[in-house]
Each structure stands twice: as C-alpha cells, then as structure tokens.
C-alpha cells in the first residue's frame, strides 16, 4: 500500500502545483479536489492523513491493482480457493487478465475453474440439503438464504415420504389434512375450540366435494352415530376407494387441496356438531365420530354420496343415540354417585357424630379412670415420700445424735487433755520450785566452801608471812652477827622458798648483787675503819690538778700534811669538807647519806674512793632488800587480817 | 713508809685496792729512780776511771742522767693514769 501511495504521490506530486498547494492549505482544501492535498501529504510528511484523503487513496489504489502484479497474484491464488466468494472476485479478474496472456491456457483454465466451481457448488448444495434434513436451524437458514434450497429440501422430503409409504401417494396428497385431523383429535380435550373456530370447519367443508353434504352431515351424523357396525364396513370400503383413487391421486391431490376445503365443509360440520356437544369427552364416541368422518370423507372422495347418505345418516343417528345413552348413563351414574356421596356423607356424619360421642364418652371415662389412677398414684407417691421423709428424719436424728455424742466425746477428751496439762504444769512448777531451793542450798554450800577455803588461805598466808618474818629476821641476824663478813646464801634460799610466789620478794632478792650474798657484806665498823684509810689517801691527792705530774703530786702530798682538818658538818664542795661530812654521817650511822656525799667527789679522789663506795652500796642494797621483804611480809599479814 | 705498806698487805692477795693506787705508783717511781741513778753512777765511775783519770764529775753526771730518766718515766706514768681516770669518768 505504501508503495502504491508513494508512486501515485510521485506521479501526481511531480507537478509544481504541489508545493503551492501545500502552502495554500485552505485554498487547496476548498477549491481543488482532495487528491492534490493527498498527494502533497503523501509526499511530505504524514502518511496517516484525514479520513477524506484515505477514501481518495482507496479510490486510487485500484488502478495499480489492475496492473500485472495483481494478475500474477490472482493466478496463484485461484487454485487453492474453491469457496464461492473468491470465484466472484476472480471471475472479474480473469476476464481482464486473460487477454494479455495466452488465450488457449486461459480458456482451459477458465473452463476448469468453472467446472470445479460447479462441481463444488453442486456438492455444497447437496451437502446443505442433506444437512438441512438433519439440523433444523440449518434447515431454516438454508431454505431462507439459498436460492432453490427450499424446493430442493421439500422435494427430497417428499421422495423420502414416498419411499416410506409407497401405498400412500394419495394419502400423501392429503397428508397435510390428515396430519391436521390427527392433530385436532389429539387436542380433543379442546374440541370446543375447533367448534368455535370457523376456519378448520371451513377447510373441511372446502375439502368435502359437495355443498349439499354440508347440510347432510348435521342431520345424517346422528344416524351414523347410531350405526356402530357401519363404520367398520366403511373402513373396509374406504380401503377400496384408496386403491381406486391412488392412480388419480397425484393429479387430484394438488387440485383437491382447494376442493377439499369446500367439500368436507358439509359433512364434517355435522360430525363436529356430534363431537362438540355432550359426547366429545367420551373417548368411544370420539373414536366413532372419527371413523364416521373418515368414512364420510372417503365417500365424499368417491363421490358416492347418494349411495351411503342414508346409511351414514343412520350411523350418525346411532352415534347420536349412543352419545345420548352414554350421556344418560353418565347422568345416572352421576346421580347415583351424588346420592351415594350424600348417603355416604350422611353416614359419615352420623358415624363421625357417633365417633365423637364415643370418643367423648371414652375420654370422660378415661379421665375419670385417670383421675382415680392419678389419685391412687398420688397417694402411693405421698406414702412413699412420707416414708422416705420419715426415714430421712430418723437418719438425720441418728446423725445428729451421733454428732452430739461425738462432740461430747471430743469435749471430754479436750477436758481431759486440759486437766492433764494443768496437772503436768503444776507438778513441773512445784518441781522447779523445789529444784530452785536445792540450787540455792547448793549455792550456799559452795559459798561456805569458798569461805572455808578463804580461811584456809588466810591461815596459810599467815603461816607464810610468819615464816617470812622469821626468814628476814634470820638474814638480818646473820648480817649483823660477828665481826667478819659472812656469806648468807642459806638464809636467802630459805627466804625465797618461803615466799614461793611472791613477786616482790623475788624482785628484792634479784636486786641483791650475787657477790654480796656469796662473800657477805662488810659491817658498819669495818666500813668506818676503811673509810678512815681512804680519807687519808684522798686528802693526799686532794690538791692535785687535772693533768698532774710528779711535782704536783709531791707538792700535794707535802701540803696535805700541812692543811687543817675540819670537824662536824662542814659546808663547801672541796674534798676536805666532803670527807669531814661523810665521816660525821658515818659516825651517826647514816650510811646512805655518807655514800651520797662520797659520790660527789671528782678526779683522783673519786678513783681512790671507788672500792669503798661499792662496798657501801652493797651493804645498802642488802639492807634495802631486806626492808622491802619485811614490808611485804608485814603487808601480807595486814592483808590477811 | 709504814703507812704505805700496811694497806698493801691485805690487797696483796687480790688486785690492789683503789685507795692504794697512788702509793703503788710512788713506790715504782722511787724504785725506778734508785735503779737508774745507780746505773748512771756506775757508768760514770767506769768512764771516770777509764777515760778521765779518776775524776769525780763523770760519776755524778751519770747518776744525774739516771735520776732524770726515772723522773721522766714517773711523770709520764702519773699523767697517763690521770688521763685514764678522766676517760671513764667522762
């Protein structure tokens, strides 16, 4: 399409007008044909143009389709497409295309094509006819849209019908009528309809040959009805006329169709009257009427109206009679039935009343009986319940008694327990009180024991102190005794043994230097004697300087003889005064003060008096220790007391 | 002399008593003087006989030397004793 449009556009757009037209849009659109505008658009830009242009292009497209290109395509397309639509288009194409190509080949092809077309069309038509017989919807479609379809289908149906009913070519002619007849009786329940409608009657009247019989059947039908036997004969007769009529049938069939509408109108009217009124409901009568009608039709067809009219009338009368009889019978039956119904209803009513009475009575009796039973039952139930209540009451009483007894027992047990507890507690209290008294007694005894022990201790300590006193006295005696110093180890040992644990005595003994009690100490007289010697020596060295030589020593020795001796408690720190003071203290017996004075010496004097000082100290120590021990002994004796 | 000897006797058993220290030193000094003076005298006599034709002054000189030496020793001892005394006291 694009190519074609482009080509066309080029061919037409080659003109110089195209550009002008493109510019003068409105002018071109209004004045010139849309073709130019189209060309322009095809040339320039927009292939999808206005709808008008498309229509124009479609108009243009055909010319190229007529070209050689299309013919080749069509030639290729022809063979594969048998269906009807392509042939129509191709038929147009080949007409134009063949002339330029070979004439012989084309004709052959055309012939073949047409032949195939015809064959296919015929086959399709046949298939359509055949399928229309199978499918109803296709049948409708086929008969409507395909020419000669309806006729062909109808013909086929007819042929088939003939095949099926070879003896009924005549009946086949009457077929529509027969079908209708059959239909009407099928709707026999609605026969009144048929009677009302004039059209069916008219048909039949028209179907009946003579107008005379139109009046007759109404009269004759009762007669025919009266004759039940005759229809059988007529059926037999009817079989004959069928054979006779059969040759004539095809011819008369089409013609008779209109005639039959006129002829049967006379007879069927009667028959319809018969059927319609009372006996139409009776199947027997209906059948009879049908048979009669058939006979009448046959007779009419034969045209032997005159012969059988009387008999038919009789038969009609008979039929009518039968109908009347049947009616009467029916009425009688209905009456009887009504009477029966009434009687039965009455019976039923009476029976029902009786039943109701009986039921009421029985109900009343039952009620009474039930009441009695109910009362009895109630009594029994009451009795049983009373018994149960009694039982329950007894049980509850028993239970209560048991409970009370249990409670009493529990209370008794509790009281016993309390009593036992009280007794136990009181016993324990008494026990505790007695035990407490015993404890007090034991405590008092123990205190007494302690007291005795303390007295024993006091006695012991007294003894010890006495022994101490004795020992101390022994030591003092040993010290003061005699002119020579004596060791007093024994006395000291005895003293220490006596005062075993006394810390003071131990310390006092320890304070004494061991040499004192091993060698003994000098007595006061010895000390004084030695002091005199020491004093003379000290006086010799009293004038010595610190760093004294031979000369100073000799001078001090010489001068000491010359110096005056002092007397009494002389004052001053010089050696002479100290010596005189110590001498006086010693003479007084105050050894302690004498030793203190002597310790104040310095230099050679000190060294010279060193031995005497140590002696004096020993004596002092011993004396002090003894004093301490004596004081201790005294203190212990005081403590005890 | 009698005074000095008296105290010595008791102290002779053990170490000298403190009051007899000075006397003891004096005794040693005197003995020392005697010995040394006699030694010097003897050396002077020998020298006077041998060298100085029996003259008197070498004998005296020798005795003088001996006495001088003894003196010096005694002096030294006393001072030493005084120093020893000071040390413990100090």
């Amino acid at each position: 399409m694009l190519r074609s449009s482009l080509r066309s556009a080029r061919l037409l757009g080659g003109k110089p007008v195209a550009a002008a037209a493109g510019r003068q849009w409105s002018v071109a659109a209004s004045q010139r044909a849309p073709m130019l505008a189209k060309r322009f658009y095809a040339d320039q830009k927009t292939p999808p143009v206005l709808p008008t242009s498309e229509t124009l292009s479609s108009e243009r497209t055909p010319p190229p389709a007529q070209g050689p290109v299309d013919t080749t395509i069509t030639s290729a397309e022809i063979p594969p497409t048998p269906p009807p639509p392509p042939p129509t288009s191709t038929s147009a194409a080949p007409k134009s295309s063949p002339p330029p190509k070979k004439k012989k080949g084309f004709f052959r092809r055309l012939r073949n094509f047409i032949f195939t077309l015809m064959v296919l069309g015929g086959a399709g038509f046949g298939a359509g006819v055949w399928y229309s017989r199978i499918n109803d919807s296709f049948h409708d479609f086929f008969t409507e849209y395909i020419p000669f379809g309806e006729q062909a289908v109808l013909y086929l149906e007819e042929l088939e019908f003939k095949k099926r009913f070879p003896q009924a070519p005549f009946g086949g002619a009457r077929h529509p009528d027969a079908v209708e007849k059959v239909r009407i009786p099928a709707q026999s329940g609605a026969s009144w309809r048929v009677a009302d409608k004039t059209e069916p009657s008219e048909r039949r009247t028209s179907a009946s040959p003579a107008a005379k019989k139109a009046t007759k059947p109404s009269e004759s039908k009762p007669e025919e009805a009266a004759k039940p036997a005759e229809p059988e004969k007529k059926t037999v007769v009817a079989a004959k006329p069928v054979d006779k009529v059969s040759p004539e049938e095809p011819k008369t069939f089409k013609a008779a169709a209109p005639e039959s509408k006129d002829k049967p109108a006379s007879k069927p009217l009667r028959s319809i009257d018969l059927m319609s009124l009372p006996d139409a409901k009776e199947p027997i009568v209906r059948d009879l009427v049908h048979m009669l009608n058939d006979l009448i039709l046959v007779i009419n067809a034969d045209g032997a109206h005159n012969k059988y009219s009387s008999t038919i009338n009789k038969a009609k009368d008979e039929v009518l009679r039968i109908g009347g009889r049947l009616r009467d019978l029916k009425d009688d039956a209905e009456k009887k039935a009504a009477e029966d119904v009434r009687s039965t209803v009455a019976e039923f009513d009476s029976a029902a009343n009786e039943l109701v009475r009986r039921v009421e009575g029985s109900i009343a009796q039952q009620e009474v009986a039930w009441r009695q039973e109910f009362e009895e039952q109630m009594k029994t139930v009451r009795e049983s319940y009373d018994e149960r209540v009694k039982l329950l009451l007894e049980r509850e009483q028993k239970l209560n008694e048991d409970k009370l007894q249990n409670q009493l027992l529990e209370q008794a047990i509790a009281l016993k327990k309390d009593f036992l507890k009280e007794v136990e507690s009181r016993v324990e209290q008494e026990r505790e009180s007695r035990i407490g008294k015993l404890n007090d007694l034991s405590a008092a005894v123990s205190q007494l024991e302690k007291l005795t022990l303390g007295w024993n201790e006091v006695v012991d300590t007294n003894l010890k102190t006495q022994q101490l006193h004795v020992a101390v006295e022994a030591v003092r005696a040993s010290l003061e005794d005699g002119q020579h110093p004596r060791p007093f180890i024994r006395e000291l040992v005895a003293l220490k043994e006596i005062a075993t644990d006394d810390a003071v005595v131990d310390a006092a003994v320890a304070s004494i230097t061991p040499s004192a009690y091993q060698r003994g100490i000098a007595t006061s007289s010895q000390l004084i004697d030695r002091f005199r010697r020491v004093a003379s020596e000290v006086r010799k060295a009293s004038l010595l300087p610190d760093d004294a030589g031979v000369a100073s020593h000799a001078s001090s020795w010489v001068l000491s003889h010359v110096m005056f001796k002092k007397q009494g408690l002389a004052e001053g720190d010089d050696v002479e005064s100290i010596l005189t003071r110590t001498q006086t203290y010693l003479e007084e017996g105050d050894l302690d003060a004498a030793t203190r004075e002597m310790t104040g010496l310095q230099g050679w004097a000190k060294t010279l008096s060193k031995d005497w000082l140590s002696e004096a100290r020993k004596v002092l120590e011993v004396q002090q220790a003894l004093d301490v021990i004596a004081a201790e002994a005294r203190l212990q004796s005081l403590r005890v007391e | 002399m009698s005074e000095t000897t008296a105290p010595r006797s008791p102290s002779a058993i053990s170490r000298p008593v403190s009051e007899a220290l000075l006397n003891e030193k004096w005794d040693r000094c005197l003995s020392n003087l005697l010995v040394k003076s006699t030694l010097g005298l003897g050396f002077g006599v020998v020298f006077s006989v041998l060298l100085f034709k029996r003259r008197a002054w070498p004998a005296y000189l020798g005795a003088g030397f001996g006495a001088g030496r003894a003196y010096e020793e005694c002096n030294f001892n006393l001072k030493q004793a005084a120093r020893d005394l000071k040390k413990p006291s100090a």
Side-chain angles (χ1 to χ4, degrees), chain A residues 1-2 5-6 37-51 53-54 57:
Chain A
M1 292 299 289
L2 261 173
S5 64
L6 282 165
K38 261 187 210 143
R39 287 174 219 156
F40 172 69
Y41 287 122
D43 267 340
Q44 290 291 336
K45 291 177 181 176
T46 56
V49 211
L50 296 169
S53 69
E54 279 182 4
S57 68

Side-chain angles (χ1 to χ4, degrees), chain A residues 224 230-238 267 290-300 312:
Chain A
E224 287 176 359
E230 277 189 8
E232 293 172 0
K233 292 174 183 175
K234 280 173 188 174
T235 52
V236 176
V237 175
K267 284 178 188 175
H290 286 311
M291 287 169 69
L292 203 80
N293 283 340
D294 288 338
L295 283 173
I296 290 159
L297 281 169
V298 169
I299 290 158
N300 287 343
I312 284 164

Side-chain angles (χ1 to χ4, degrees), chain B residues 29-43 62-74:
Chain B
C29 284
L30 286 177
S31 64
N32 206 2
L33 179 72
L34 253 177
V35 170
K36 283 180 178 171
S37 59
T38 51
L39 259 175
L41 187 81
F43 272 102
F65 270 106
R69 174 140 180 91
Y71 178 84
E72 199 55 37
E73 267 187 22
C74 189

Side-chain angles (χ1 to χ4, degrees), chain A residues 530 537 546 549-550 607-608, chain B residues 17-19 22-23 75 85-86:
Chain A
R530 196 175 174 182
E537 291 299 318
D546 287 340
V550 178
T607 54
L608 288 174
Chain B
V17 195
S18 62
E19 58 258 28
L22 263 179
N23 293 334
N75 202 9
L85 283 175
K86 279 183 183 176

